[in-house]
Amino acid sequence: MYGGRVSDSFDRRILTTYLDEYLGDFLFDTFQPFHFFQNEELDYVVPAQGSRDAYAKMINTLPLYQTPEVFGLHANADIAYYTGATKELWVNLIDLQPRSAGGGGGMSREDYIGTVAKDVLDKIPELFDMPVIKKQLGIPSPTQVVLLQELDRFNILAKTMKSTLKQLQKALIGEIGMSNELDMLATALFNGLLPGAWAKKTAATEKKLGAWMLWFERRYRQYVDWVENGEPAVMWLSGLHIPETYTAALVQAACRDKGWPLDKSTLYTKVTRYTDPSEVPEKLQHGAYIQGLYLEGASWDLERSMLKRQDPKVLVTELPILQVIPVEGSKLKLQNTFKTPVYVTQSRRNAMGVGLVFEADLATSEHSSHWVLQGVALSLNIDQ
């Protein structure tokens, strides 16, 4: 939610679920008392009608610290909250550290930044030759259009990285002045964070520099494989700059081949038993296999192929390979599934429609309200 207002349908689903599960006429059913939460030690229940002192005594019996289970969350929610708060505190402490050169014979700040800059610069690949690739493809299919758009964006990112790093190297040795932009780049490299100038040219991410460079290199390898060998049998969706364009292209290609109306077609998703791309026998004719989805708020039962409660202290689980198939919306009938939002990052931002990629239908034996209260969602990029 933004500013106390409901900004998308999933925010509305959370609010309506809380209203349905915790507020209603059932609160005043004298024959079957409603318990907000109950265990061996505590019982959150509406007290019987009485005096003010009786109500105050009831309130005083409740603990000052409320566990996540009271609100329908898993106990892991506490761990996730404190982990996030610790990471934020750590980033702020790093920003406060002095910028003076190191003493005692150790590597100076400038030398360290220069070493990191050279290491990153050596890992930046050559730009894709777009005219040659376009000539090879001829008239592109919808997914090939996505490829060309992705390569253009990757080239822009690589150019930005090369130019800023080379300028920084010159500034470190005094050939040019250290501008504010170069100083911010140097600080980010020293602190191990993704520079802001690069973040503007890449997909939304919460990764630090080291993890982001691994993601950057893997992204390049997928593009090379796509150009040389055609569309992969299993698409690493996390490696795309704008992943929602790929899922839209899948629907568009199926509508062209089968004559379906585009505005009345949608995606059907099914979690497979494949956990490695090498297990997939062949590429789908219509649709795709997708990897790189991370499940929060729940875990996945591989034997029963359905959602299950999280294991203690396991906050994020990688989902098995997901099968995505375009279908006509009127023919899609689903039962015992939970509509799960797929976000770009774990922050689950969906400002102005950006950040929500698509919706996956995950099998479940529980009522959907259980998973809504547990905060179940899928993310493409985690901070590791």
Side-chain angles (χ1 to χ4, degrees), residues 71-141:
F71 305 98
L73 294 166
H74 192 278
N76 286 348
D78 250 356
I79 302 175
Y81 170 76
Y82 287 115
T83 300
T86 303
K87 288 180 179 178
E88 183 179 359
L89 175 63
W90 182 250
V91 170
N92 293 332
L93 289 175
I94 290 176
D95 287 338
L96 294 174
Q97 66 180 335
R99 299 188 181 186
S100 58
M107 181 181 293
S108 68
R109 181 177 185 272
E110 289 72 19
D111 290 341
Y112 178 79
I113 293 172
T115 301
V116 175
K118 183 180 182 303
D119 182 53
V120 173
L121 194 58
D122 291 340
K123 293 180 180 179
I124 301 176
E126 294 296 325
L127 302 181
F128 289 100
D129 193 336
M130 296 306 297
V132 173
I133 295 175
K134 289 179 180 179
K135 185 176 180 180
Q136 291 176 350
L137 295 178
I139 300 176
S141 65

Side-chain angles (χ1 to χ4, degrees), residues 2-129:
Y2 177 76
R5 298 180 180 179
V6 178
S7 59
D8 64 33
S9 60
F10 290 106
D11 289 342
R12 177 179 174 82
R13 185 175 71 171
I14 292 174
L15 296 179
T16 55
T17 299
Y18 269 112
L19 292 174
D20 292 340
E21 295 294 325
Y22 288 97
L23 298 173
D25 293 338
F26 52 81
L27 290 176
F28 309 103
D29 189 342
T30 56
F31 298 98
Q32 187 176 357
F34 176 75
H35 301 270
F36 292 91
F37 175 75
Q38 186 179 29
N39 60 16
E40 297 178 355
E41 301 176 355
L42 298 171
D43 185 9
Y44 289 77
V45 65
V46 177
Q49 185 174 357
S51 63
R52 174 188 173 280
D53 292 338
Y55 297 147
K57 183 179 179 181
M58 170 66 181
I59 293 173
N60 289 331
T61 61
L62 300 177
L64 295 177
Y65 171 75
Q66 311 300 329
T67 62
E69 291 91 343
V70 174
F71 305 98
L73 294 166
H74 192 278
N76 286 348
D78 250 356
I79 302 175
Y81 170 76
Y82 287 115
T83 300
T86 303
K87 288 180 179 178
E88 183 179 359
L89 175 63
W90 182 250
V91 170
N92 293 332
L93 289 175
I94 290 176
D95 287 338
L96 294 174
Q97 66 180 335
R99 299 188 181 186
S100 58
M107 181 181 293
S108 68
R109 181 177 185 272
E110 289 72 19
D111 290 341
Y112 178 79
I113 293 172
T115 301
V116 175
K118 183 180 182 303
D119 182 53
V120 173
L121 194 58
D122 291 340
K123 293 180 180 179
I124 301 176
E126 294 296 325
L127 302 181
F128 289 100
D129 193 336

